[in-house]
Amino acid sequence: MKLFINGEEMIVPDDVTNVEELLDYFKLNNKAGIVERNQVIVDRSLHAEEAVTNEDRIEIVHFVGGG
Amino acid sequence: MKERYSRQILFSPIGENGQRKLSEKHVLLIGAGALGTSNAEMLARAGVGKITVVDRDYVEWSNLQRQQLFTERDAVERIPKAVAAADQLREINSEINISGKIMDVSIHEIEELVEGVDIMIDATDNFETRLLLNDASQKYQVPWVYGACTGSYGLSYTVVPGQTPCFSCLLGSVPMGGETCDTVGIISPAVQIVAAYQTTEALKLLVEDYKSLRRNLFYFDIWKNQQSTIKVEKLKKDDCPSCGQACTYPHLDPVNLSRTAVLCGRDTVQIRPANKGKRNLDELFDRLQAIEGGKVEGNSFLVNLTIEGRRLVAFQDGRVLIHDTKDISEAKTLYNRYIGG
């Protein structure tokens, strides 16, 4: 499946079917962050229910502490 | 005065009127590390009337790669960052009021510091202090600008009480661990991008050009050539404990506060005693000199003990930094062994 993640075209395995699995794939699930799918923020409690489909535009932003 | 700020006054969103407003405003900067020194220098050059810089740490060699107000001499002499930064800022602009405070910002401190301040800039290295700042911002209705970076990645967001979602709304739960300057490093240009966004937002707030505020969460990875923004209005929660209708400001409650902290970018644990009294550094210096196998050094701000392959640094306000360890219990043992509760 082809996705645009943070503006960059990426191919992810077809067994990634929802936002939670996508975050797992990028090992980002234990980080505080915000996910946007096609310019709509996905509620944190609905990550497992929000499907990702071919050519979706996904933004993933995680908070860091450094400064 | 006019010549000094002429190019900024020529910039029409600021102009004469904006410049006058800048000269009447007070900015509180929490942290004088990479983000703190960069923001502070820009704001001082811009002519902000009063700048207060607060930091708990002192200058070390590993800071010099990116913390722009510090020199080799500051590192050699272990000058507290708040002092070194304030001195340098006064050299840059002697016409404004600059205050450097050696202080670990916690509940009591933030409630005092925020008084009379127009905006706060986040230049801290941890989430606990940011949440403290966020709650103080809501309680006292003072906007603040979040900024953070690690590696080549960074992000920024402006919180305006009563208008935008607050930092707690965006963050959800407090992250456990995660990347720090300690684990993934940091490059200076990432710092400068975040600081540029923070200072620009600060200038908009200070000249009261509210309609120009960004209002989005901005983030980038300058090494991967990525940058984007997310619209976050939707994340505002009516039941948020920090900014919601029945808010309780949980991060201003001592119950939710830790007494020890591992410092970002440093193999260091800080211990902050419950006793808020001042530490007698002369007495401590004499006492530590009697210890066999230890090396004691000091200046008027701190006492440094090297022993057992570790380094303990005691500040006048009671805090002790234990270097060369991330283990809190080991740090407490060393603290109790040499400094004493």
Side-chain angles (χ1 to χ4, degrees):
Chain A
M1 174 168 55
K2 183 167 81 177
L3 296 174
F4 296 92
I5 294 176
N6 293 357
E8 204 173 320
E9 188 178 317
M10 283 186 189
I11 303 296
V12 301
D14 286 340
D15 59 358
V16 172
T17 63
N18 60 46
V19 168
E20 184 170 285
E21 289 166 2
L22 184 68
L23 290 176
D24 280 339
Y25 176 71
F26 287 111
K27 297 188 172 59
L28 287 170
N29 238 339
N30 56 355
K31 291 185 179 178
I34 296 172
V35 179
E36 194 185 66
R37 175 174 171 249
N38 298 329
Q39 301 200 312
V40 178
I41 291 178
V42 183
D43 193 290
R44 274 187 195 91
S45 60
L46 300 175
H47 281 181
E49 289 152 49
E50 181 83 10
V52 290
T53 53
N54 198 38
E55 304 219 344
D56 272 354
R57 307 190 84 85
I58 309 278
E59 295 286 335
I60 303 171
V61 52
H62 64 276
F63 291 99
V64 296
Chain B
M1 153 98 178
K2 279 208 170 153
E3 175 64 20
R4 171 171 210 143
Y5 303 116
S6 59
R7 302 306 186 268
Q8 190 167 279
I9 290 169
L10 268 175
F11 178 68
S12 59
I14 294 181
E16 296 267 5
N17 199 25
Q19 191 62 46
R20 184 183 46 75
K21 283 180 180 164
L22 286 180
S23 72
E24 293 164 353
K25 298 292 170 76
H26 182 187
V27 175
L28 172 63
L29 272 148
I30 308 290
L35 290 174
T37 53
S38 181
N39 273 292
E41 179 166 345
M42 285 189 275
L43 293 168
R45 287 186 189 278
V48 171
K50 183 169 184 190
I51 299 174
T52 301
V53 183
V54 188
D55 195 281
R56 64 184 175 190
D57 208 352
Y58 60 90
V59 181
E60 294 215 293
W61 284 95
S62 65
N63 303 146
L64 299 182
Q65 159 253 3
R66 67 196 182 284
Q67 301 187 11
Q68 68 190 58
L69 293 174
F70 306 138
T71 63
E72 292 184 354
R73 181 188 284 189
D74 295 327
V76 168
E77 295 180 4
R78 297 191 184 99
I79 304 296
K81 289 181 174 182
V83 173
D87 285 349
Q88 192 63 30
L89 292 170
R90 286 185 198 107
E91 294 280 319
I92 289 168
N93 193 343
S94 61
E95 296 171 359
I96 60 172
N97 184 342
I98 291 156
S99 169
K101 293 181 188 291
I102 311 169
M103 193 187 270
D104 181 39
V105 176
S106 191
I107 296 165
H108 176 71
E109 290 79 4
I110 194 74
E111 300 227 30
E112 272 186 9
L113 288 166
V114 75
E115 208 182 313
V117 158
D118 293 288
I119 64 162
M120 298 185 281
I121 293 192
D122 159 36
T124 66
D125 61 2
N126 65 86
F127 286 105
E128 185 172 284
T129 314
R130 286 188 174 98
L131 289 166
L132 194 73
L133 238 157
N134 186 59
D135 278 12
S137 149
Q138 294 297 328
K139 186 173 173 185
Y140 297 98
Q141 298 286 297
V142 177
W144 71 285
V145 189
Y146 163 69
C149 45
T150 53
S152 53
Y153 176 82
L155 62 173
S156 180
Y157 175 69
T158 308
V159 178
V160 183
Q163 293 185 29
T164 68
C166 79
F167 190 58
S168 290
C169 292
L170 265 61
L171 195 61
S173 57
V174 183
M176 294 294 289
E179 289 173 354
T180 69
C181 310
D182 216 6
T183 54
V184 297
I186 175 80
I187 58 169
S188 190
V191 172
Q192 299 297 351
I193 292 173
V194 175
Y197 273 85
Q198 288 183 291
T199 296
T200 308
E201 289 287 281
L203 291 173
K204 293 174 189 172
L205 286 164
L206 295 170
V207 304
E208 298 164 20
D209 185 3
Y210 303 112
K211 66 181 186 313
S212 296
L213 288 170
R214 168 166 293 279
R215 302 198 186 269
N216 293 335
L217 173 64
F218 166 79
Y219 60 102
F220 64 88
D221 188 318
I222 192 176
W223 206 266
K224 292 183 185 160
N225 309 310
Q226 296 174 346
Q227 69 171 61
S228 194
T229 57
I230 285 189
K231 287 185 189 146
V232 293
E233 309 96 274
K234 227 187 95 177
L235 290 174
K236 187 158 175 56
K237 293 190 203 111
D238 289 339
D239 61 349
C240 173
S242 297
C243 74
Q245 281 156 3
C247 52
T248 56
Y249 313 120
H251 302 286
L252 295 175
D253 183 340
V255 171
N256 298 315
L257 207 67
S258 75
R259 309 302 303 171
T260 55
V262 181
L263 302 192
C264 178
R266 309 270 298 274
D267 208 7
T268 299
V269 175
Q270 171 180 270
I271 295 185
R272 189 189 155 88
N275 181 347
K276 295 223 178 291
K278 269 196 172 182
R279 187 182 298 289
N280 182 334
L281 293 180
D282 291 337
E283 180 275 327
L284 181 66
F285 187 90
D286 291 342
R287 186 153 51 86
L288 295 180
Q289 272 200 321
I291 296 171
E292 269 190 21
K295 185 179 166 205
V296 190
E297 296 158 282
N299 60 32
S300 49
F301 308 106
L302 51 85
V303 171
N304 181 87
L305 168 71
T306 309
I307 196 157
E308 293 183 29
R310 302 280 186 268
R311 213 151 53 73
L312 285 73
V313 178
F315 287 82
Q316 208 171 42
D317 66 2
R319 289 175 305 112
V320 175
L321 300 182
I322 292 110
H323 295 294
D324 311 308
T325 182
K326 284 183 193 132
D327 181 334
I328 287 177
S329 61
E330 186 198 15
K332 282 183 177 166
T333 304
L334 289 166
Y335 176 88
N336 288 332
R337 186 175 300 159
Y338 295 113
I339 311 292

